[in-house]
Amino acid sequence: MGNETETRERLLEVAKQEFLELGYEKASMRKICKKAGVTTGALYFFFKDKNDLFAALVKEVADEIKMIIVHHTQKEQTIYEDAKTTPQAIIADGIEQGRDFVTYMYANKDAFMLLLTKANGSSYENFYDELVDLMEKNTLQFLDHITLEYGKENEIKPYTMHWLAHLETSSFAQLLTHGLTLEEALIQAEVIAKYLTGGWLEILKK
Amino acid sequence: MGNETETRERLLEVAKQEFLELGYEKASMRKICKKAGVTTGALYFFFKDKNDLFAALVKEVADEIKMIIVHHTQKEQTIYEDAKTTPQAIIADGIEQGRDFVTYMYANKDAFMLLLTKANGSSYENFYDELVDLMEKNTLQFLDHITLEYGKENEIKPYTMHWLAHLETSSFAQLLTHGLTLEEALIQAEVIAKYLTGGWLEILKK
Amino acid sequence: MGNETETRERLLEVAKQEFLELGYEKASMRKICKKAGVTTGALYFFFKDKNDLFAALVKEVADEIKMIIVHHTQKEQTIYEDAKTTPQAIIADGIEQGRDFVTYMYANKDAFMLLLTKANGSSYENFYDELVDLMEKNTLQFLDHITLEYGKENEIKPYTMHWLAHLETSSFAQLLTHGLTLEEALIQAEVIAKYLTGGWLEILKK
Amino acid sequence: MGNETETRERLLEVAKQEFLELGYEKASMRKICKKAGVTTGALYFFFKDKNDLFAALVKEVADEIKMIIVHHTQKEQTIYEDAKTTPQAIIADGIEQGRDFVTYMYANKDAFMLLLTKANGSSYENFYDELVDLMEKNTLQFLDHITLEYGKENEIKPYTMHWLAHLETSSFAQLLTHGLTLEEALIQAEVIAKYLTGGWLEILKK
DNA sequence: GATGAATGAGGGTTCATTCAT
DNA sequence: AATGAATGAACCCTCATTCAT
């Protein structure tokens, strides 16, 4: 009947709708089966449990975005190490990172919606926090660099760093969860960059 | 047996622990009864349903913090209207509001934890969003004032306002949810105020 | 506060509404108490249990209507025994009985509604059947008389008698349960009498 | 284990006994499971809820009897329209209908018992009334015919028609609920026909 | 690849009633 | 005459998952 892996795809599609609509916990495996026109046995042939089903919708994207952030952190590291780097270059790079992040997010809209707002109860319920942690390393690097340049009169506490990472992460995440289009989001990303830069300058002032 | 209304208190205490540990949805009425050494009937004598039990832990605080914000917004309105008001006065007031908010939050730590992170599924699941909305009105008022003074070359979009309200609200909320002590939080609140002010200045620049 | 027996009256009134609306089984003692502004303890001071509460609304009427029927049966007995009784007299008496029944029913509308349609689960759930049984005795007497006069060529089976008692009883009961006014009901009672008489004549025919 | 769909049958059988004994509302799903030697989950695999279980015992019969009545009404319509139809033919047809009804009822005894006396609380609680309504249409048709033939000196009120439909329906229904055998019931059906015809003649008299 | 019957613990909630005060 | 806290069994139903076929 040409079913082959078609069943799997159908299950994934239906599951995505259910998870998006109800969230991980309230979504029902039985209802997913029913809507996909498939028996529970079939579902459990393809996916070992509820979490595995959710992961199948989300894993690839979750892994890749983390890699993207890590890569960016590494790349920034080299920029900082370059003696000839100007402040403008750093800012420009930050803006570019924002654009990349937003673009990737929007290219994988559904997966990000699941990860950011519908994963409660699943093994991805801490995805957002993990993102923040990665962002934090990014920011810490920046701070170290700044401190070298400007001296350490202004002590920035660890918590502050964590909070700023939150600020940045959630600012980007909200673009998607609040329903902006990609075009709107890219424009807004610039505003975010501007605002956060202004904030930094203020707290770094002596 | 010295029970009197002691049972109700015991139920509330146990329920608070359960909700804090598991969240509204995963908390079990039966488990709460068992831990409180009480039959289900007793619980349902005091509280009409699960949501009512949750509300009993949270309603007062939820109502009051909203009033506090509203009152502050009104007070700020009068400050803006005063011709002799200086920018310093406005900033000082913002800082004071932050202190008030944080202090009240910490004085009602458990209730705020429930409201901010454990209310999903209950009638308070939108509490955080409501807070943001109130904050937004606050910020909008500020923007109107600024626009009058500095002209309107820089158009701030509605979404930006909403985002900033989020930024501020979550910044305060996280102080609690991340486990800072009151002393740490109050210090951090100043950092937040500084940072957010810097951000504002940046995006208001021509 | 002048409460005295006022509480009892209030409970009875509220209970009547509840039973009428929901029926005996679905009515809730707690809700009755709440609506009456009284605690359960108070209710159980006046009425020993749910059935007792229902009975208090209904007993008097239930007893009296039975007596009325019995009395009528006895009175009819004497009519039959009277050698000078004409068939017209018998029919006239039957019509009068109908009128009495209907009038009494309407004078105690609520109680009859409870007894006829809302008593399921209570000790009065067989009230209607008891009424039928009493009616049946009435009808049997009539049959005996008829048989003496006209001979016994037409055998009327016991079940037929029971059925006819049902017919008559339900015909009257429905006047009330279908919402006719007293005036309409009295008119309709004549139609019933006519119809039932016609039926009798038909099955008594040789 | 030879279970196959045997479980479903066993559940239906047990449920039928429970419903017959206790009625829809007082019957307990748990008890039905226990008696059938099955877990609640199994029951809910076959039937979506209590009402669905009841319906499975009753739906087919409920639908068919209504169709039978409707069909008969249509057939009677053609009889009336036939110029050569004699009053005897009409009466004969009425009697035949009675026989058909009773025969079908007894062929589905349990289902009818459930529908007529045990359905309270289920979606079939108005089944009897629906039957009466169908019967009423039947009777109205008859009245229209009669009126054409005999003139309209005797006004029969709408309520009277409704009442007569009740009379007829309950007369048939009681044959079953009062425990008559099929043979007894068929004989009694003739008595009913006779009686009701006599009643009609009486109220149609000028 | 897929079926579908079955598990069994658990969910929140309602109930009539009791009894010490 | 009345309070109101407390009982505890029972209610219908949902869940993710398993496994013989």
Side-chain angles (χ1 to χ4, degrees):
Chain A
M1 303 160 188
N3 271 9
E4 311 288 318
T5 51
E6 199 188 300
T7 299
R8 203 184 119 96
E9 299 307 319
R10 206 164 54 244
L11 276 167
L12 283 172
E13 185 54 34
V14 170
K16 188 166 76 184
Q17 304 305 337
E18 281 293 292
F19 285 133
L20 280 173
E21 192 175 332
L22 303 170
Y24 179 80
E25 303 216 87
K26 288 200 175 169
S28 152
M29 295 294 264
R30 289 221 289 267
K31 243 170 248 165
I32 289 169
C33 289
K34 206 165 282 176
K35 287 197 182 172
V38 150
T39 56
T40 57
L43 193 161
Y44 278 89
F45 174 78
F46 291 110
F47 308 99
K48 92 179 227 294
D49 57 20
K50 195 183 189 179
N51 191 69
D52 190 43
L53 174 59
F54 188 81
L57 289 165
V58 135
K59 181 178 182 358
E60 211 173 337
V61 167
D63 290 347
E64 196 165 0
I65 189 66
K66 287 185 196 167
M67 274 186 46
I68 289 175
I69 297 178
V70 169
H71 281 351
H72 181 86
T73 302
Q74 291 165 351
K75 185 182 142 206
E76 216 161 44
Q77 169 84 356
T78 66
I79 294 179
Y80 292 147
E81 285 167 352
D82 181 352
K84 292 170 295 181
T85 298
T86 62
Q88 288 86 339
I90 292 176
I91 290 179
D93 183 70
I95 291 177
E96 196 201 317
Q97 177 182 24
R99 288 189 67 89
D100 288 352
F101 191 108
V102 170
T103 306
Y104 183 76
M105 225 169 60
Y106 272 80
N108 300 279
K109 220 172 161 174
D110 289 338
F112 267 94
M113 283 297 286
L114 290 174
L115 282 165
L116 294 171
T117 65
K118 309 291 178 180
N120 219 291
S122 79
S123 64
Y124 285 90
E125 64 183 359
N126 295 318
F127 171 78
Y128 175 81
D129 290 337
E130 291 168 18
L131 236 49
V132 171
D133 287 346
L134 292 177
M135 284 290 201
E136 194 175 350
K137 283 180 193 145
N138 226 337
T139 324
L140 278 169
Q141 213 174 51
F142 170 65
L143 181 65
D144 288 347
H145 176 71
I146 287 287
T147 315
L148 285 175
E149 303 266 304
Y150 294 80
K152 217 195 161 174
E153 298 89 7
N154 357 262
E155 46 168 350
I156 305 291
K157 299 202 182 141
Y159 175 77
T160 303
M161 297 311 298
H162 190 67
W163 164 60
L164 289 170
H166 254 291
L167 232 52
E168 198 173 352
T169 312
S170 80
S171 294
F172 287 123
Q174 278 174 44
L175 297 173
L176 184 70
T177 59
H178 280 61
L180 274 72
T181 64
L182 175 55
E183 293 70 33
E184 294 167 337
L186 287 174
I187 293 168
Q188 194 62 28
E190 309 250 340
V191 178
I192 292 172
K194 239 177 160 183
Y195 188 95
L196 299 183
T197 307
W200 265 113
L201 292 177
E202 190 66 30
I203 61 173
L204 287 173
K205 266 189 201 153
K206 310 178 203 183
Chain B
M1 301 161 189
N3 272 8
E4 309 287 318
T5 52
E6 200 188 298
T7 301
R8 202 186 121 97
E9 298 309 320
R10 205 163 58 241
L11 276 167
L12 283 173
E13 186 55 35
V14 170
K16 189 166 75 184
Q17 304 306 338
E18 281 294 293
F19 285 135
L20 281 174
E21 190 175 336
L22 301 171
Y24 180 80
E25 301 217 270
K26 288 200 174 169
S28 154
M29 295 296 263
R30 287 226 249 279
K31 235 172 259 166
I32 289 170
C33 289
K34 210 162 281 176
K35 287 197 185 172
V38 150
T39 57
T40 59
L43 191 163
Y44 278 89
F45 171 76
F46 291 107
F47 309 98
K48 86 179 229 296
D49 57 20
K50 195 182 188 178
N51 192 68
D52 190 43
L53 175 57
F54 189 81
L57 290 164
V58 136
K59 181 178 183 357
E60 211 173 336
V61 167
D63 290 345
E64 196 163 0
I65 190 65
K66 286 186 199 167
M67 276 187 44
I68 289 175
I69 296 178
V70 168
H71 281 352
H72 181 84
T73 302
Q74 291 165 349
K75 184 182 143 208
E76 216 161 44
Q77 169 84 355
T78 66
I79 294 181
Y80 293 147
E81 286 166 353
D82 182 352
K84 292 170 293 182
T85 298
T86 61
Q88 286 88 337
I90 292 176
I91 290 180
D93 182 69
I95 290 175
E96 196 201 319
Q97 175 182 25
R99 288 188 67 89
D100 287 353
F101 190 109
V102 169
T103 307
Y104 184 77
M105 225 170 59
Y106 273 79
N108 301 279
K109 219 172 162 173
D110 289 337
F112 267 96
M113 284 296 287
L114 290 175
L115 282 166
L116 293 171
T117 65
K118 309 292 178 181
N120 219 290
S122 81
S123 65
Y124 285 91
E125 63 185 358
N126 297 318
F127 172 77
Y128 175 79
D129 290 337
E130 291 168 18
L131 237 49
V132 171
D133 286 346
L134 291 178
M135 284 291 199
E136 195 176 350
K137 282 180 194 146
N138 226 337
T139 324
L140 279 170
Q141 208 175 54
F142 170 63
L143 180 66
D144 288 346
H145 177 70
I146 287 288
T147 315
L148 285 175
E149 303 266 302
Y150 295 79
K152 218 197 161 172
E153 298 89 7
N154 358 261
E155 49 169 348
I156 305 290
K157 300 202 182 139
Y159 175 78
T160 303
M161 297 309 298
H162 189 67
W163 164 61
L164 290 170
H166 254 290
L167 232 53
E168 198 173 351
T169 313
S170 78
S171 294
F172 286 124
Q174 279 173 42
L175 298 173
L176 185 70
T177 58
H178 281 61
L180 275 71
T181 64
L182 174 57
E183 292 72 30
E184 293 166 339
L186 286 174
I187 293 169
Q188 194 61 28
E190 308 250 340
V191 179
I192 292 172
K194 239 176 160 182
Y195 188 94
L196 298 184
T197 306
W200 265 111
L201 292 177
E202 190 64 31
I203 61 173
L204 288 174
K205 264 190 203 154
K206 312 179 200 184
Chain C
M1 303 160 187
N3 272 9
E4 309 290 316
T5 52
E6 198 187 302
T7 299
R8 203 184 118 96
E9 298 308 319
R10 206 164 55 243
L11 276 167
L12 283 172
E13 185 55 32
V14 170
K16 188 166 76 183
Q17 304 305 337
E18 281 293 293
F19 285 133
L20 280 174
E21 191 174 335
L22 302 170
Y24 180 80
E25 302 216 90
K26 290 199 175 169
S28 152
M29 295 294 263
R30 288 222 289 268
K31 244 170 247 166
I32 290 169
C33 289
K34 205 164 285 177
K35 287 197 184 171
V38 151
T39 57
T40 56
L43 192 161
Y44 278 88
F45 173 79
F46 291 110
F47 309 98
K48 93 179 227 293
D49 57 21
K50 195 181 188 179
N51 191 69
D52 189 43
L53 174 58
F54 189 82
L57 289 164
V58 136
K59 180 177 184 356
E60 211 174 335
V61 167
D63 290 347
E64 195 164 1
I65 190 65
K66 286 186 197 168
M67 275 187 44
I68 289 174
I69 297 177
V70 168
H71 281 350
H72 181 86
T73 302
Q74 289 165 349
K75 181 181 142 208
E76 216 161 42
Q77 169 83 357
T78 65
I79 294 181
Y80 292 148
E81 283 167 353
D82 181 353
K84 292 172 291 181
T85 298
T86 63
Q88 287 88 338
I90 291 176
I91 289 178
D93 182 69
I95 290 176
E96 196 201 317
Q97 175 181 25
R99 289 187 68 87
D100 288 353
F101 190 108
V102 169
T103 307
Y104 183 76
M105 223 169 60
Y106 272 79
N108 301 278
K109 220 173 162 172
D110 289 338
F112 267 95
M113 284 297 286
L114 290 174
L115 283 165
L116 293 172
T117 65
K118 308 291 178 181
N120 218 291
S122 80
S123 65
Y124 284 90
E125 64 184 358
N126 296 318
F127 171 78
Y128 175 79
D129 289 336
E130 290 168 17
L131 236 48
V132 171
D133 286 346
L134 291 178
M135 283 291 200
E136 194 175 349
K137 283 181 192 143
N138 225 337
T139 325
L140 278 169
Q141 208 175 54
F142 170 64
L143 181 66
D144 287 348
H145 177 71
I146 286 288
T147 315
L148 284 176
E149 302 266 302
Y150 294 80
K152 216 195 162 174
E153 298 91 6
N154 0 263
E155 48 168 348
I156 306 290
K157 299 202 184 142
Y159 175 78
T160 304
M161 297 310 297
H162 189 68
W163 165 61
L164 289 170
H166 253 291
L167 232 53
E168 198 172 351
T169 312
S170 79
S171 294
F172 285 123
Q174 279 174 42
L175 297 173
L176 184 70
T177 59
H178 281 61
L180 276 71
T181 64
L182 174 57
E183 293 70 33
E184 293 168 338
L186 286 175
I187 293 168
Q188 195 62 28
E190 309 251 337
V191 179
I192 292 172
K194 239 177 160 181
Y195 188 94
L196 298 183
T197 308
W200 265 112
L201 292 176
E202 190 65 29
I203 61 173
L204 287 174
K205 264 189 201 155
K206 311 178 202 183
Chain D
M1 304 161 187
N3 272 8
E4 312 285 320
T5 51
E6 202 188 295
T7 301
R8 203 186 119 98
E9 299 308 319
R10 203 164 58 241
L11 277 167
L12 282 172
E13 186 55 34
V14 170
K16 189 166 75 184
Q17 304 306 337
E18 280 293 294
F19 284 134
L20 281 173
E21 190 175 333
L22 302 171
Y24 179 81
E25 302 216 89
K26 288 200 176 170
S28 153
M29 295 296 263
R30 285 227 251 282
K31 237 174 257 166
I32 290 169
C33 289
K34 209 163 280 178
K35 286 198 185 171
V38 150
T39 57
T40 59
L43 192 162
Y44 279 89
F45 171 76
F46 292 108
F47 309 99
K48 86 180 229 295
D49 58 19
K50 196 182 189 180
N51 192 68
D52 190 44
L53 174 58
F54 189 81
L57 290 165
V58 136
K59 181 180 183 354
E60 212 174 336
V61 166
D63 290 346
E64 197 164 358
I65 190 64
K66 286 186 198 167
M67 276 188 43
I68 289 174
I69 296 178
V70 169
H71 281 352
H72 181 84
T73 302
Q74 291 166 348
K75 186 182 140 207
E76 215 160 46
Q77 169 85 354
T78 67
I79 295 180
Y80 292 147
E81 286 167 352
D82 181 355
K84 292 170 295 182
T85 298
T86 61
Q88 288 87 339
I90 291 175
I91 290 180
D93 183 69
I95 291 177
E96 197 200 317
Q97 177 183 23
R99 289 187 66 89
D100 288 352
F101 191 109
V102 169
T103 307
Y104 183 77
M105 225 168 61
Y106 272 80
N108 302 278
K109 220 173 162 171
D110 289 337
F112 266 96
M113 285 297 286
L114 290 174
L115 282 165
L116 294 170
T117 65
K118 308 291 177 179
N120 220 290
S122 80
S123 65
Y124 284 91
E125 64 184 358
N126 295 319
F127 172 78
Y128 175 80
D129 289 336
E130 291 168 18
L131 237 50
V132 170
D133 286 345
L134 291 177
M135 285 290 201
E136 194 175 350
K137 283 180 193 147
N138 227 339
T139 325
L140 278 170
Q141 208 175 54
F142 169 65
L143 181 65
D144 287 346
H145 177 71
I146 288 286
T147 315
L148 285 176
E149 304 265 304
Y150 295 80
K152 217 194 161 174
E153 298 90 7
N154 359 261
E155 48 169 349
I156 305 290
K157 299 202 182 140
Y159 175 78
T160 304
M161 297 309 299
H162 190 67
W163 164 60
L164 289 172
H166 254 291
L167 231 53
E168 198 173 350
T169 311
S170 78
S171 295
F172 286 123
Q174 279 173 43
L175 298 173
L176 184 71
T177 58
H178 281 62
L180 274 71
T181 65
L182 174 58
E183 293 70 32
E184 294 167 339
L186 285 174
I187 293 168
Q188 194 62 26
E190 308 249 340
V191 179
I192 292 172
K194 238 176 160 182
Y195 189 94
L196 298 183
T197 307
W200 264 111
L201 292 177
E202 190 64 29
I203 62 173
L204 287 174
K205 264 189 204 155
K206 311 179 201 184

